Amino acid sequence: MQIIPIRDLKETAKISEMCNLSNEPIFVTKNGYGDMVIMSIKTYEASIERNTLLARLAEAEHGDKLVDGEAAMRELRHKYVKKD
């Protein structure tokens, strides 16, 4: 985990390099307290994808309609696998 003071944001090229070399967000403090989080676009997009997947899994796990995995696979194979 990287933590930097807000005054270091003046060094934009250095901060950009730090963000792009790290797969984790960088925490920015102001007066010793957490203030912001910055990250590269790549890290941000991965975070959004992960959160979307987790939300879909939670919805599937707690949704009203539960489907047996084997039955779902049979249905998908029947629908999409071509038979010669």
Side-chain angles (χ1 to χ4, degrees), residues 5-25:
I6 198 164
R7 69 177 174 271
D8 286 0
L9 292 179
K10 294 176 187 174
E11 302 174 37
T12 56
K14 179 182 172 186
I15 300 300
S16 175
E17 183 179 356
M18 286 173 60
C19 286
N20 285 297
L21 291 175
S22 175
N23 291 327
E24 296 183 357

Side-chain angles (χ1 to χ4, degrees), residues 42-60:
K42 179 182 170 185
T43 300
Y44 174 76
E45 289 173 345
S47 177
I48 294 297
E49 287 178 21
R50 183 174 41 257
N51 289 343
T52 300
L53 175 61
L54 290 173
R56 288 181 180 165
L57 288 172
E59 182 181 316

